[in-house]
Amino acid sequence: MNQHGQFAGRKTIQIFSALYKEAVELGFDGQDWTVGVRSRVEPPRNRLFLTVDEVEELASGMESAHNRDAVKILAYTGLRVGEFSALRVMDWDTQRRRLHVQQNASFAGGKVEIHTTKTKKSERTIPVPETIAILLDRAAANRVPEDFLWTSAQGQIWRSGNFRRRSGWRQAVTAIGYPNLRLHDLRHSYASIVRHTGADLPTLSRVMGHSSIKVTIDLYGGIYDTELDDLAKGLEQQFGRKMGENRS
């Protein structure tokens, strides 16, 4: 069960408990089945962070150029897979080299649902490097604004499940030494790569579309650990300068 599932489970229990209490106040009798019920909580899976070289190696292991490009777009934009599926041609600003994330796709029972983004802050604008912009230009060419921007090789909406099964994903992640790598880890990799370009936490939070900077810190605070070392070194330099002044 993922974190979203855990939250939904706890919320459901809370709702039924509240309904029972309200029913009792109205004079109904019965048993509160939520007593003693716990939403099962599992430890979060480890996040994996690929370097640019590892992303390129992974992409090269895909079975087609189309699938190689999909890996690169996900790794260099930080899109959630549902956001990637839901992108329309109109969401790509070819002049400014920006992606406008406005919708998300979910898949259940073979059906596709397009809905608003996970949170209001998930609706965002992502700057796109020129190498990736060229891929998106190519995808948008000769398409109408309402078309999906990135589709399967057959021209259908892009589905992450089909991609993992048909692209050579399993063999490729094993070949680079990360057999448990998930597509979502490409989003984590983007966060790490962006951080190493010098982006601060507020900027990272913004491009990731997190609901708050606290979420960003909880997820990625560890990749800023070197800044703590720099802080200590800076303080030491200040102390040394002050001690030198005192001795003189």
Side-chain angles (χ1 to χ4, degrees):
M1 182 185 298
N2 60 26
Q3 290 180 349
H4 177 74
Q6 294 165 15
F7 173 79
R10 290 193 296 271
K11 193 68 176 177
T12 301
I13 292 169
Q14 291 168 3
I15 290 171
F16 275 100
S17 179
L19 287 173
Y20 169 77
K21 291 174 182 176
E22 185 173 343
V24 169
E25 290 177 0
L26 293 173
F28 291 91
D29 191 15
Q31 181 179 359
D32 184 0
W33 65 266
T34 66
V35 173
V37 175
R38 295 286 184 270
S39 176
R40 182 165 61 95
V41 177
E42 298 177 353
R45 294 183 61 171
N46 291 331
R47 288 177 288 276
L48 297 176
F49 302 94
L50 301 185
T51 64
V52 170
D53 287 344
E54 288 169 334
V55 168
E56 295 298 319
E57 186 179 358
L58 172 63
S60 69
M62 296 294 102
E63 293 182 353
S64 71
H66 188 72
N67 291 327
R68 285 195 292 273
D69 292 345
V71 167
K72 292 181 181 182
I73 294 169
L74 287 167
Y76 299 138
T77 63
L79 289 164
R80 299 175 176 93
V81 291
E83 294 170 344
F84 182 48
S85 296
L87 285 174
R88 306 279 184 173
V89 171
M90 68 180 75
D91 296 325
W92 170 231
D93 184 342
T94 185
Q95 298 299 319
R96 298 187 62 211
R97 305 321 228 183
R98 300 283 192 272
L99 271 175
H100 301 297
V101 181
Q102 304 179 74
Q103 294 182 307
N104 189 67
S106 61
F107 303 87
K111 296 182 179 180
V112 182
E113 289 189 8
I114 307 295
H115 40 81
T116 56
T117 52
K118 185 178 178 182
T119 67
K120 185 60 180 176
K121 288 193 175 180
S122 292
E123 187 176 315
R124 63 199 187 278
T125 298
I126 301 173
V128 177
E130 185 60 25
T131 301
I132 302 305
I134 292 170
L135 303 181
L136 298 178
D137 282 342
R138 188 184 305 155
N142 303 316
R143 312 278 290 284
V144 299
E146 294 77 15
D147 283 348
F148 288 115
L149 178 60
W150 195 266
T151 63
S152 69
Q154 293 74 36
Q156 304 299 314
I157 188 170
W158 188 87
R159 296 172 182 256
S160 59
N162 288 345
F163 174 84
R164 288 192 301 270
R165 286 190 294 271
R166 301 171 182 174
S167 66
W169 174 264
R170 187 178 299 277
Q171 295 88 343
V173 296
T174 300
I176 68 169
Y178 294 99
N180 297 319
L181 189 81
R182 303 164 298 164
L183 273 170
H184 195 70
D185 287 317
L186 296 180
R187 175 170 161 83
H188 297 319
S189 299
Y190 172 79
S192 178
I193 292 167
V194 167
R195 181 269 175 273
H196 286 98
T197 66
D200 58 20
L201 272 166
T203 301
L204 178 60
S205 184
R206 180 180 175 187
V207 296
M208 296 299 288
H210 289 153
S211 57
S212 71
I213 196 168
K214 181 181 183 301
V215 174
T216 312
I217 293 170
D218 288 345
L219 287 171
Y220 303 121
I223 63 178
Y224 285 81
D225 277 351
T226 56
E227 292 187 358
L228 297 179
D229 296 333
D230 294 340
L231 185 151
K233 292 175 183 176
L235 285 172
E236 186 63 31
Q237 290 173 359
Q238 292 296 321
F239 295 154
R241 186 177 300 115
K242 186 63 178 178
M243 292 297 292
E245 291 173 358
N246 290 340
R247 283 195 294 269
S248 63

